[in-house]
Amino acid sequence: MPCAAHRSASDGRLAPTGSSPDAIASQAADGSARVRVQAGASLETLLAFTGAGGYGVASAPAPGDLSVGGALAIGAHGTAVPAVGESPASGHGYGSLSNLVTELTVVVWDDDAGHYVLRTVGRAEPDCDALLTHLGRSLVTEAVLRVGTDHNLRCQSLLDIPATELFAAPGAPAGTRTLAGFVDRAGRVEAIWFAFTDCPWLKVWSVTPKRPLTARAVDEPYNYPFSDSLPEPVARLAGDLVSGAWASAPLFGKVQYLLAKVALTGDITDVLLSGTLVRDVLTGDVLTHLLAGGLRSDLWGASRNLLQYVRPTTLRETANGYAVLTRRADLQWVVSQFAGFYRTLLAQYAARGEYPVNGQVEIRVTGLEDPLVCGVPGARPPLLSALRPRPDRPDVDTAVWIDVLSLPTTPALHRFYRDIEQFLLALDGDRATVRVEWSKGWAYSDTAAWSDPDVLTRAIPASQRAGGGPGWDEAIETLDRLDPHRVLS
């Protein structure tokens, strides 16, 4: 939570939700450790603290300014699954940050006392699994998380793979550069596909203890300054879009792609061969500025320096968000199904003179929640996590995260998002379980997010109940009981 403190209902004392980790709580012989952190601390502060002690996480959200409390409340995640042949180190997991929790301190109602109190709940205790991803139905003041020995990562950016190849249907010819192939080789990928462009920006992270000769060493996070603060001509083009020039979306998509390509690789060929409109935005001064910062297509360093790359100054966009739970073997099927539908839908809207998307598609891949990762015997996965496994489908082990980003006031955006959502919810139920990403937009009507009653009351609970076992209903009962007066809710 962003607040500095929460006043106890019992005696007026302040329950701290401060901005700094306290200490490495304990170190284990297996190389893992437990870190105690107050909920108001940022993820950047937490990862810097653990990194200084030689510890880290397998993956994390890209924005560093998220609070720990906020990240745990929505089951925040990064992008990582084990590469083929990779064995995770102790303390490293491939699900959400919530699954790393070993202990929470929360504000709850106490029947005997007759008021709200602070209570510390261990991971194996009743109620903890409902509090791990509580969606704002509780107030966490402090958490203990298990972390692992830190590892150096290499992040390579590729911008020359056509979307038709990267998201090709399963069974593509040998040598095809598919997303599933990169996942198998490195385990950690993100595809950023700017609207109305042909080649995504693919980031591939790999565990690399020593710096490769071609890689640029970095000792701080946020290593993509061209996206942290857009050059003035590009920002002006974004301003034109917001002012009503929505048909400029294809131009904006191409400019964003070329901006990334020049800054990452130094290749200005496509800019020089582009039309006048592109060259009017990416002027000689802009190109000189981008190249002066040094090339960034091959970076190497401590994990946090490669995992965090979105600042508060990065272009603010809105996004829908879904986790498609599937078998690892069906990962490529999921992305090919989505990419084909997205490309066709975008073209259909454009043919009607509508340009609902001026940002990018972002695709990440993670594992599901494995409570063994926290190291507490008897632990259960977070009940409301989008990554909670289906008890009836142990073969389902992977989540494909799909987000479509655009400037918030774009006409026809909600209708477009609704079309995407209805497509995903109708995916083959044997090969895909679709859950919403809590921190993004979902339940779209033609005019607004979080407003489709069928998705809110049927589809979302059904997706969480799928496969049986403790989940949606148990979490609601627990959260209602811990806050019966809805003070926190």
Side-chain angles (χ1 to χ4, degrees), residues 2-57:
C3 56
H6 178 83
R7 188 169 295 279
S8 168
S10 59
D11 57 10
R13 290 179 301 171
L14 292 178
T17 57
S19 58
S20 300
D22 288 342
I24 297 290
S26 61
Q27 298 168 302
D30 61 7
S32 68
R34 296 183 182 184
V35 59
R36 184 177 301 277
V37 59
Q38 293 185 345
S42 70
L43 289 184
E44 179 179 353
T45 301
L46 172 63
L47 294 185
F49 180 83
T50 58
Y55 298 97
V57 296

Side-chain angles (χ1 to χ4, degrees), residues 7-318:
R7 188 169 295 279
S8 168
S10 59
D11 57 10
R13 290 179 301 171
L14 292 178
T17 57
S19 58
S20 300
D22 288 342
I24 297 290
S26 61
Q27 298 168 302
D30 61 7
S32 68
R34 296 183 182 184
V35 59
R36 184 177 301 277
V37 59
Q38 293 185 345
S42 70
L43 289 184
E44 179 179 353
T45 301
L46 172 63
L47 294 185
F49 180 83
T50 58
Y55 298 97
V57 296
S59 66
D65 65 324
L66 302 178
S67 71
V68 171
L72 296 180
I74 49 86
H77 65 92
T79 181
V81 295
V84 172
E86 178 182 355
S87 296
S90 297
H92 286 296
Y94 299 100
S96 73
L97 292 181
S98 298
N99 193 52
L100 300 178
V101 168
T102 65
E103 178 184 290
L104 291 173
T105 300
V106 294
V107 178
V108 300
W109 176 257
D110 187 306
D111 273 330
D112 294 334
H115 53 67
Y116 286 84
V117 299
L118 284 176
R119 173 183 162 197
T120 297
V121 186
R123 180 63 184 270
E125 293 181 44
D127 301 342
C128 193
D129 49 3
L131 293 165
L132 291 170
T133 303
H134 61 72
L135 310 183
R137 292 291 314 275
S138 188
L139 177 63
V140 172
T141 64
E142 189 175 76
V144 178
L145 287 78
R146 189 185 189 211
V147 292
T149 302
D150 200 19
H151 45 236
N152 292 326
L153 294 176
R154 181 187 193 183
C155 183
Q156 295 172 283
S157 291
L158 306 173
L159 296 102
D160 63 342
I161 307 174
T164 51
E165 182 178 2
L166 188 64
F167 307 131
T176 303
R177 296 169 293 179
T178 64
L179 190 76
F182 285 103
V183 170
D184 284 346
R185 287 191 287 277
R188 300 151 178 82
V189 303
E190 177 184 48
I192 299 176
W193 185 13
F194 297 107
F196 301 100
T197 63
D198 297 325
C199 296
W201 170 13
L202 178 68
K203 283 189 267 199
V204 182
W205 293 264
S206 53
V207 177
T208 309
K210 295 184 179 180
R211 181 179 73 87
L213 291 176
T214 59
R216 173 178 178 170
V218 293
D219 55 12
E220 294 289 341
Y222 312 115
N223 290 291
Y224 303 113
F226 62 90
S227 65
D228 293 340
S229 181
L230 293 177
E232 193 275 334
V234 184
R236 188 167 60 245
L237 178 57
D240 291 342
L241 281 165
V242 174
S243 298
W246 301 110
S248 298
L251 172 62
F252 190 57
K254 187 169 187 178
V255 165
Q256 289 184 97
Y257 167 76
L258 292 175
L259 183 73
K261 187 171 185 179
V262 172
L264 291 166
T265 71
D267 186 354
I268 65 172
T269 304
D270 289 343
V271 176
L272 299 177
L273 295 177
S274 295
T276 303
L277 290 175
V278 170
R279 294 198 298 273
D280 285 345
V281 178
L282 296 178
T283 62
D285 289 344
V286 170
L287 298 180
T288 299
H289 176 72
L290 292 174
L291 294 172
L295 305 185
R296 298 168 186 272
S297 64
D298 193 353
L299 302 176
W300 176 86
S303 64
R304 65 175 289 260
N305 298 331
L306 279 300
L307 295 177
Q308 295 188 315
Y309 53 87
V310 172
R311 291 184 184 272
T313 54
T314 302
L315 182 65
R316 296 299 182 94
E317 298 171 295
T318 189

